[in-house]
């Protein structure tokens, strides 16, 4: 501030001597002393006020054009002051270069040719008036604001609002993010946009308006029809399926087609304006704008309805402050199933190579590498895992009941079966209670559902987060981080194919990462909840001396949350300084390895706890997953293995009673639907499904199994009818014997149950 005042003095008092400078210099130093310890906000305000007056007095009267440019630059700097784009120079220059890149530069040449020839000697709205320019720009800018500040972000939130509430802490935080995003988008189009219009020359202004109209229409088309199926989107607005994204965004033919589409729109707008038919252009813009308003209202109503459900849900959940104890018996039998969502069986040998000591920790376990699942995602992979062969996708497809009813029945089958046979039956973190994509049961709380059936219910996920995180989470930093990505994601959604790959930048969205900390993703609450749940599992376990037998189903999605941990112990840390050597083909696979390793280490610590407390030998323990990982590429694996085996190869490990040999492998052909039979075998006489009365068995796989290969479904909201497989011609593969031999995979023609 003092430096600005001194510069002002020199500009205003060029010819004066020491006496003339004494008063202004004296005041500058007086204010320096008076404001030195004042609020930084006050000093910043005073400094900018003095700077503004300096620029105004120097340039406004003599050079109004220069003054306008300076104000525009200052507006841009202030606009990005909050670190909205971490590296301003890199990101802003990149965005500017995008606007003058080859496709649009060619359009400028075309426009100049058309203007000099096609409109030569004609006075039309395209060359004569400013009224159309302002109205057309205002309507298009409003449409883009609606699209980028309402339709895209609110539609994204509505797709999985409970998940975003979990990650961003509350509904109010989401509203704050949406509000900030709206303010930024408004400023971008109306402040910077109108500033640009006022500064550019008349000839270029006409070209700018036509280009802006074309950009608006092209953005709507891009949003509606181009690349809306890039797979699941995680909480950081990143698509985990790297291969699918690369193939889609890198397709040169799609880029050329999309660029030509913009050229056609541009030419069509010029054609409509040729004979002073601007009303047709305005009608097109207004029709699109009206449609956007209707869609925005619908999305807002859906958002309100979803927030009401979330608020009611959390009122129930928050009553469960301290989880109950997980009871295990020294005198009876214990059956423990540890479910690890998306743990790939093929990754365990890599873990054992790095940590061979785990073979002793998992003493008595048999690892079944030759295991296959029936679907690539939890939505159809979990029911057979915990319910058996009566709940595989092709059987459910022939069941006329609604999917939520069938899904919940499968998840309750095994706990109720053990409870009916005099076992104390407990479920820890039911799938759907913490995995909101699977939230089928909405009529009442999960706690009431389980306790009403005589089952013990424990919600462990999220209860120990504060113990794991020693420092309070930087909530403001988290919200700013997400807000930046949401802002760039809105531009990604409306961009042409040529720009999408540049804007996406492998999930960075032109936002330069903070290089001094590798654990940028550890703010993800789902990861923290899953990690802390396994870490503190022993703290909620109570070992008693009764003869009552127990059954425990422990659900965890830690392997599903791809994050780096501190190497070599793969432990959570506020600052990750070492992640080890990446042996995988991409970063996402290496993150999957990290969380898979962490899962094995944490479960291993729990096994040591059971050994120390004398309940290991009288326990049957099963570790199983619902599916493999569609986004994982294993080292030294070929395309067939990555596309077919890895997504459908869940982990399956079994330790029976009184077994202590070193971990060994068994290549028997298995499926995760064998889990219920293994859990009850030689323990419950004639085990039958309490809902259907059918006996549990593994005979269904004797001649091989049929698995559902399509990857279209992963969310409960996608199933609005009573059919599971919605495709008319589903992709079905028959698998038998050794799943690692391609010859054992064959296509099956499946006739849907209409």
């Amino acid at each position: 501030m003092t430096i600005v005042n001194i510069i002002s003095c020199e500009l205003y008092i060029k010819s004066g001597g020491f006496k003339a400078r004494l008063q202004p210099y004296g005041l500058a130093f007086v204010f320096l002393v008076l404001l030195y310890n004042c609020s930084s906000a006050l000093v910043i305000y005073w400094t900018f006020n003095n700077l503004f007056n300096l620029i105004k007095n120097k340039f406004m009267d003599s050079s109004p054009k220069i003054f306008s440019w300076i104000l525009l630059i200052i507006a841009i700097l202030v606009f990005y002051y909050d670190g909205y784009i971490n590296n301003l120079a890199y990101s802003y220059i990149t965005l500017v270069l995008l606007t003058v890149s080859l496709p649009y530069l060619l359009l400028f040449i075309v426009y100049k040719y058309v203007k000099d020839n096609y409109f030569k000697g004609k006075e039309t709205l395209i060359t004569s008036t400013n009224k159309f320019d302002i109205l057309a720009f205002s309507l298009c800018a409003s449409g883009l604001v609606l699209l980028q500040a309402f339709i895209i972000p609110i539609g994204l939130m509505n797709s999985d609002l409970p998940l975003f509430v979990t990650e961003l802490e509350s509904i109010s935080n989401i509203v704050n993010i949406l509000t900030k995003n709206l303010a930024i988008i408004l400023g971008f189009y109306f402040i910077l946009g109108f500033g640009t219009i006022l500064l550019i020359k008349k000839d270029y202004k006409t070209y700018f308006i036509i280009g802006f109209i074309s950009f608006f229409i092209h953005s709507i088309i891009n949003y509606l029809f181009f690349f809306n199926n890039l797979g699941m989107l995680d909480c950081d607005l990143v698509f985990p399926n790297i291969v699918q994204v690369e193939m889609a965004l890198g397709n040169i033919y799609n880029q050329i087609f999309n660029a030509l589409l913009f050229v056609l729109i541009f030419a069509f707008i010029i054609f409509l304006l040729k004979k002073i038919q601007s009303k047709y252009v305005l009608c097109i813009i207004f029709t699109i704008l009206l449609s956007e308003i209707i869609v925005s209202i619908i999305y807002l109503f859906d958002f309100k309805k979803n927030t009401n459900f979330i608020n009611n849900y959390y009122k129930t959940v928050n009553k469960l402050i301290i989880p109950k104890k997980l009871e295990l018996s020294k005198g009876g039998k214990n059956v423990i199933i540890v479910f690890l969502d998306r743990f790939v069986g093929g990754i365990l040998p890599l873990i054992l190579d790095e940590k061979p000591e785990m073979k002793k920790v998992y003493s008595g376990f048999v690892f079944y590498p030759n295991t296959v699942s029936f679907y690539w995602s939890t939505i159809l992979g979990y029911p057979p895992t915990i319910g058996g062969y009566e709940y595989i996708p092709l059987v459910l497809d022939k069941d006329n009941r609604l999917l939520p009813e069938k899904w919940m029945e499968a998840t309750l089958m095994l706990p109720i079966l053990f409870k009916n046979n005099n076992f104390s039956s407990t479920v820890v973190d039911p799938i759907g209670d913490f995995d909101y994509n699977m939230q089928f049961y909405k009529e009442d709380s999960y706690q009431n559902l389980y306790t009403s059936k005589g089952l013990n219910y424990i919600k462990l996920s999220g209860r120990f987060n504060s113990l794991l995180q020693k420092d309070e989470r930087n909530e403001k930093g988290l919200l700013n981080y997400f807000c930046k990505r949401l802002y760039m994601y809105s531009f990604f959604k409306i961009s042409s194919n040529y720009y999408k790959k540049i804007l996406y930048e492998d999930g960075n969205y032109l936002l330069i990462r903070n290089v001094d900390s590798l654990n940028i993703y550890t703010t993800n609450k789902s990861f923290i909840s899953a990690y802390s749940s396994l870490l503190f599992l022993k703290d909620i376990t109570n070992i008693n001396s009764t003869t009552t037998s127990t059954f425990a189903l422990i659900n965890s999605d830690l392997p599903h949350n791809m994050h780096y941990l501190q190497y070599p112990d793969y432990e959570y840390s506020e600052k990750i300084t070492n992640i080890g050597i990446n042996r995988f083909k991409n970063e996402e696979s290496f993150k999957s390895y990290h969380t898979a390793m962490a899962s094995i280490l944490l479960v291993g610590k729990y096994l040591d706890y059971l050994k120390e407390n004398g309940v290991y030998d009288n326990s049957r323990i099963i570790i199983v997953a619902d599916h493999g990982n569609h986004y994982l590429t294993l080292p030294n694996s070929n395309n067939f293995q990555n596309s077919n085996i890895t997504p459908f190869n869940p982990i399956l490990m079994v330790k029976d009673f009184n077994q202590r040999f070193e971990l060994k492998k068994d290549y028997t052909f298995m499926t995760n639907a064998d889990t219920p039979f293994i859990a009850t075998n030689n323990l419950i006489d004639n085990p039958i499904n309490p809902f259907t009365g059918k006996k549990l068995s593994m005979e269904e796989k004797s001649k091989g199994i049929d698995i559902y290969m399509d990857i279209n479904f992963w969310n409960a909201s996608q199933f609005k009818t009573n059919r599971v497989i919605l495709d008319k011609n589903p992709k079905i593969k028959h698998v038998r014997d050794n799943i690692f031999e391609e010859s054992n995979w064959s296509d099956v023609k499946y006739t849907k149950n209409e």
Side-chain angles (χ1 to χ4, degrees), residues 253-312:
Y253 299 107
N254 287 337
Q255 293 178 358
I256 294 174
F257 174 77
N258 198 266
L260 289 175
L261 180 62
F262 182 86
V263 174
L264 291 175
I265 295 172
F266 187 87
F268 180 66
I269 299 300
I270 292 180
F271 173 77
L272 290 180
L273 293 173
K274 171 180 174 274
K275 297 181 179 180
I276 320 181
Q277 298 297 318
S278 62
K279 62 181 181 181
Y280 293 119
V281 177
L282 294 176
C283 284
I284 293 173
I285 299 173
F286 184 77
T287 301
I288 296 174
L289 184 60
L290 183 62
S291 301
E292 286 187 283
I293 292 173
I294 295 173
V295 172
S296 299
I297 293 173
I298 294 173
Y299 278 18
L300 285 171
F301 273 108
D302 288 342
F303 182 76
K304 178 64 176 175
K305 182 175 66 176
N306 290 334
T307 56
N308 289 337
F309 166 70
I310 296 297
N311 288 331
N312 292 334

Side-chain angles (χ1 to χ4, degrees), residues 9-78:
C9 292
E10 290 300 316
L11 289 175
Y12 298 149
I13 313 173
K14 294 181 179 179
S15 58
F18 173 76
K19 190 174 182 179
R21 289 176 169 83
L22 182 59
Q23 182 182 358
Y25 271 85
L27 287 174
F29 283 103
V30 168
F31 278 110
L32 173 63
V33 174
L34 292 176
L35 297 177
Y36 189 80
N37 289 322
C38 289
S39 166
S40 60
L42 177 61
V43 176
I44 290 173
Y45 164 75
W46 202 287
T47 302
F48 272 98
N49 182 63
N50 290 346
L51 181 61
F52 175 80
N53 283 301
L54 169 64
I55 296 172
K56 176 175 71 69
N57 294 330
K58 179 62 181 175
F59 296 109
M60 187 171 185
D61 295 330
S62 59
S63 305
K65 202 78 169 180
I66 296 177
F67 176 69
S68 299
W69 275 109
I70 292 173
L71 285 183
L72 184 62
I73 292 171
I74 292 176
I76 294 171
L77 292 174
V78 174

Side-chain angles (χ1 to χ4, degrees), residues 38-215:
C38 289
S39 166
S40 60
L42 177 61
V43 176
I44 290 173
Y45 164 75
W46 202 287
T47 302
F48 272 98
N49 182 63
N50 290 346
L51 181 61
F52 175 80
N53 283 301
L54 169 64
I55 296 172
K56 176 175 71 69
N57 294 330
K58 179 62 181 175
F59 296 109
M60 187 171 185
D61 295 330
S62 59
S63 305
K65 202 78 169 180
I66 296 177
F67 176 69
S68 299
W69 275 109
I70 292 173
L71 285 183
L72 184 62
I73 292 171
I74 292 176
I76 294 171
L77 292 174
V78 174
F79 179 69
Y80 289 110
Y81 173 74
D82 192 30
Y84 220 73
I85 293 182
N86 293 353
N87 189 320
L88 173 62
Y90 169 76
S91 301
Y92 189 70
I93 290 173
T94 303
L95 288 172
V96 171
L97 289 176
L98 289 179
T99 63
V100 295
S101 57
L102 185 60
Y104 296 97
L105 187 61
L106 292 175
L107 282 179
F108 176 71
I109 297 173
V110 172
Y111 166 74
K112 291 294 290 182
Y113 174 80
V114 171
K115 180 179 179 297
D116 294 340
N117 295 275
Y118 197 52
F119 292 128
K120 191 174 183 179
K122 298 180 181 180
E123 188 72 11
T124 68
L125 274 174
I126 199 171
T127 59
S128 63
T129 183
N130 191 47
K131 183 178 179 181
F132 170 78
D133 293 349
I134 300 300
L135 183 58
F137 178 84
S138 299
L139 290 175
C140 290
S142 299
L144 287 167
V145 169
L146 280 175
L147 181 60
Q148 292 183 251
F150 283 91
I151 295 175
I152 292 176
I154 296 178
L156 176 68
M157 296 297 168
N158 286 340
S159 67
D160 201 345
L161 185 60
L163 181 61
F164 286 107
V165 171
T166 301
E167 298 304 326
L168 301 172
E169 305 288 0
S170 66
I171 294 290
S172 61
N173 283 344
I174 291 179
V175 173
N176 289 338
I177 288 173
L178 295 176
T179 303
K180 184 175 181 180
N181 187 59
L182 171 61
I184 296 297
I185 297 293
L186 278 170
F188 183 85
Y189 285 112
F190 281 95
I191 297 177
L192 299 184
F194 273 114
T196 304
I197 290 177
L198 294 174
L199 289 172
I200 59 180
K201 295 180 180 179
K202 183 178 179 180
D203 290 346
Y204 297 102
K205 183 184 301 182
T206 305
Y207 166 74
F208 177 81
I209 294 300
I210 297 175
F212 192 73
I213 296 171
S214 305
F215 171 70

Side-chain angles (χ1 to χ4, degrees), residues 579-590:
I579 59 175
I581 299 175
N582 188 353
R583 295 179 288 167
F584 295 82
K585 298 179 180 179
N586 54 62
E587 186 180 12
E588 298 301 318
S589 296
F590 194 33

Side-chain angles (χ1 to χ4, degrees), residues 339 373-375 377-393 396 403-404 406-414 431 438 440 626-627 672-673 675-676 689 724:
F339 169 77
S373 177
F374 292 86
Y375 194 60
S377 180
T378 305
I379 188 73
L380 298 177
Y382 187 73
T385 303
I386 210 66
Y389 287 92
E390 291 185 75
Y391 302 96
I392 64 176
L396 292 179
L403 180 61
K406 295 179 282 186
W407 209 91
M408 293 305 301
E409 179 180 293
T411 62
L412 289 167
M413 190 281 293
L414 207 51
I431 294 292
M438 305 302 120
F440 286 111
D626 49 350
H627 54 84
N672 53 2
T675 303
N689 185 330
V724 173

